Amino acid sequence: MELWYTENHTEESKFSIKVEKQLYSAQTNFQRIDVFESKEFGKFFTLDGLIMVTEKDEFIYHDMIVHIPMASNSNIKNVLVIGGGDGGTVRELTRYKTIEKIDMVEIDEQVVEVCKKYFPSTTSGLSDKRVSLYFQDGLKFVRDAKEGEYDLIIVDSTDPFGPGEGLFTREFYGNCHKALSKDGILVNQHECPYYSDYAYNMQRAHRNIYETFNIAKVYQAHIPTYPSGHWLFGFASKTIDPIKDLKEEEWLKHNLDTKYYNLDIHKGCFALPTYVKKLLEQSHHE
Ligand code: SAM
């Protein structure tokens, strides 16, 4: 008998992974968590039936959400991660000796517990002395943050429904703007442009960020297990442009061995397909 994990990417299309066994399943106060073992992608976990992390391709997402902002501003000392319960984003951040403080705010403590048990490779940075974990709603946490407290805010959230919904709103981005220092950067996972439901959410998020920040750019990566495999990230700042302000020499001095990110990718990933540019431009006028 064969066992397959299947996820609806749209009403009319599905994505499947052959599963060796299911390792865990639970309903938390916020969402359903499932952990599976597969030959192709290694272990992977889902929240409410959507893939969050697979052992095989998580490096792409985590490289791109962390190293793009870190190479754009070499003075990042205080960082806030919202969501990110699998720990992959914090793991990449802890590789920078120049970072002094990392606060991670995750709404669902059970995600962290489950990931510590099944994904030691992504949670390895959570025990770093500079990391503080807060289990609460990121929306409220940012509302209460001090003005200019963070140099980088990374929104490593689920999609904009359920607990992640508030993390795509104008109010939230406004509070992030306030909590960021003068040269601060906001990076968020920005959904997929290819399928219309995702593209709609992407446009809504982009419009809210564009209306809040002087600089609002979008960059892309290929993530095989996310819907359509084509994923976007948002880069926003009051002052920093990720291409003009790229600190090549400074970044190389960190001497980091990265598997997806490199300086060519940094410069290339902001070049977007025409249909994506059009979707983004449309959202400016809605
Ligand atoms: N890489 C992932 C992706 O895009 O598929 C995101 C992974 S990470 C597991 C997302 C985390 O965001 C989840 O653990 C979820 O509990 C957390 N989250 C969702 N809404 C949140 C909120 N309002 N405040 C803090 N954390 C939140």
Side-chain angles (χ1 to χ4, degrees), residues 57-282:
D57 69 358
E58 59 87 6
F59 71 97
I60 305 172
Y61 179 91
H62 294 125
D63 266 21
M64 290 302 274
I65 209 164
V66 169
H67 302 305
I68 294 280
M70 287 306 295
S72 304
N73 175 355
S74 44
N75 290 316
I76 291 175
K77 305 255 182 280
N78 298 314
V79 184
L80 172 62
V81 177
I82 297 176
D86 54 82
T89 296
V90 167
R91 178 197 65 205
E92 288 307 305
L93 287 166
T94 56
R95 300 175 72 195
Y96 290 88
K97 295 194 175 68
T98 45
I99 291 179
E100 293 170 1
K101 173 176 95 154
I102 304 168
D103 290 339
M104 184 180 113
V105 189
E106 164 60 60
I107 204 167
D108 193 343
E109 187 165 4
Q110 223 166 311
V111 174
V112 176
E113 292 313 313
V114 169
C115 289
K116 277 187 177 162
K117 178 158 182 213
Y118 294 104
F119 299 89
S121 57
T122 55
T123 50
S124 56
L126 294 179
S127 53
D128 188 288
K129 284 205 293 288
R130 296 166 292 172
V131 177
S132 306
L133 297 184
Y134 299 87
F135 294 109
Q136 53 176 278
D137 189 341
L139 187 65
K140 181 171 181 316
F141 190 92
V142 174
R143 200 183 287 143
D144 298 340
K146 288 196 211 84
E147 223 172 301
E149 187 174 352
Y150 296 103
D151 306 309
L152 171 62
I153 299 178
I154 297 182
V155 190
D156 183 1
S157 67
T158 44
D159 295 325
F161 31 81
E165 198 169 343
L167 304 180
F168 289 78
T169 58
R170 200 138 173 227
E171 186 219 336
F172 172 70
Y173 296 129
N175 287 326
C176 288
H177 187 277
K178 199 158 77 110
L180 281 170
S181 55
K182 183 171 91 32
D183 294 330
I185 297 172
L186 171 75
V187 169
N188 69 328
Q189 75 87 352
H190 216 310
E191 304 287 306
C192 111
Y194 190 71
Y195 293 129
S196 55
D197 284 358
Y198 283 92
Y200 171 76
N201 288 324
M202 180 279 278
Q203 285 182 300
R204 205 163 51 108
H206 182 67
R207 184 179 57 240
N208 289 338
I209 296 174
Y210 179 82
E211 285 172 355
T212 310
F213 285 86
N214 286 347
I215 295 166
K217 302 261 159 112
V218 170
Y219 61 99
Q220 61 184 357
H222 171 234
I223 305 182
T225 56
Y226 285 0
S228 84
H230 182 195
W231 209 254
L232 300 180
F233 297 88
F235 180 109
S237 177
K238 300 171 197 175
T239 56
I240 300 277
D241 181 290
I243 301 291
K244 288 192 207 124
D245 296 309
L246 170 60
K247 303 282 182 295
E248 299 197 42
E249 296 303 314
E250 282 95 328
W251 189 78
L252 289 170
K253 280 190 208 140
H254 291 289
N255 207 15
L256 297 178
D257 184 17
T258 47
K259 203 166 157 191
Y260 189 86
Y261 177 84
N262 57 50
L263 293 170
D264 290 336
I265 283 280
H266 188 117
K267 289 174 240 170
C269 69
F270 288 89
L272 300 173
T274 308
Y275 84 94
V276 180
K277 281 173 134 177
K278 281 195 178 149
L279 286 171
L280 293 170
E281 274 157 26
Q282 251 172 31

Side-chain angles (χ1 to χ4, degrees), residues 7-45:
E7 175 174 324
N8 281 358
H9 279 181
T10 69
E11 289 294 313
E12 308 292 331
S13 68
K14 292 174 187 232
F15 174 75
S16 297
I17 298 176
K18 192 171 172 198
V19 162
E20 295 302 300
K21 56 179 177 217
Q22 179 155 16
L23 301 172
Y24 181 85
S25 182
Q27 177 67 44
T28 75
N29 289 337
F30 301 97
Q31 52 212 344
R32 180 180 161 159
I33 312 181
D34 290 285
V35 183
F36 302 93
E37 170 101 55
S38 73
K39 280 198 178 132
E40 184 61 52
F41 290 98
K43 277 183 269 176
F44 67 96
F45 87 97

